[in-house]
Amino acid sequence: MTDLAALQRINLQRWSHAKPTRNFASIARRLTASDARSRYQAVAARTGVPWPMIAVVHERECSQDWTRSLAQGDPWDRISVHVPAGRGPFKSWEDAAIDALNNCAPYAGRNKDWSIGALLTKLEEYNGLGYAARGVPSPYVWAGTDQYRSGKYVRDGVYDPNVIDSQAGCAGLLMAMKALDPSIAFAGAAQSSSHASTSEPTAPKKAAPAPPPKTPSLKSPAPGSIGAFIASVLVALVAVFKPKGK
């Protein structure tokens, strides 16, 4: 059985170091378009699932096809035949999405921890934990980043280590969406991650100004001046004629 807490830590570490190896921009623009975002946000309000996660699942399951269910990509206006089978029919894409998130494994609507490590792990659960059991990154999450090279379940229970997933992985999509929409933020994301940084450069500290030079006076003549010479003579005379103590 997969240790989900350990997988969350692993996925957080992967996120902190991940770099995209594909261009996710065009898909990210579709997913963050105002009309799409409003529909995802409506489902988020009914489920508690962050709308960016809903968006990337929609892309992975059915290439953002609004006639297909978030659960498995089957048409939502008829009873589903793929796992989870027997769902529907529904009145709208939104109703099907709410059912998928609240009533189907991995029951994302019941989740309360949406830090980035937990969110990525929930996405991995959505596709299955077979990759975690093998100790390899899930292409569902990491395809298109340097955290994934190859390996894919080509059908139920059949894993081919040489197949490369051609779809955009959820992590790379989330990175690209965040770059396009500053309102997207992920709790627990490392500040020093290689794909995004929220820290701002600090201005170098200014050196303390040097104290102004002292104005020459009889008590403090400028070095090398006539005043300095006369002062040295006076000091010598005082030393000569100073009465000796008993």
Side-chain angles (χ1 to χ4, degrees), residues 43 47 54 69-71 90 92-102:
V43 174
T47 61
I54 299 170
S69 173
L70 200 70
F90 298 97
S92 66
W93 178 87
E94 285 79 0
D95 286 347
I98 292 165
D99 176 75
L101 295 169
N102 285 343

Side-chain angles (χ1 to χ4, degrees), residues 133-150:
R134 290 178 173 272
V136 298
S138 166
Y140 191 89
V141 179
W142 298 107
T145 75
D146 61 357
Q147 301 300 300
Y148 170 78
R149 292 188 178 181
S150 65

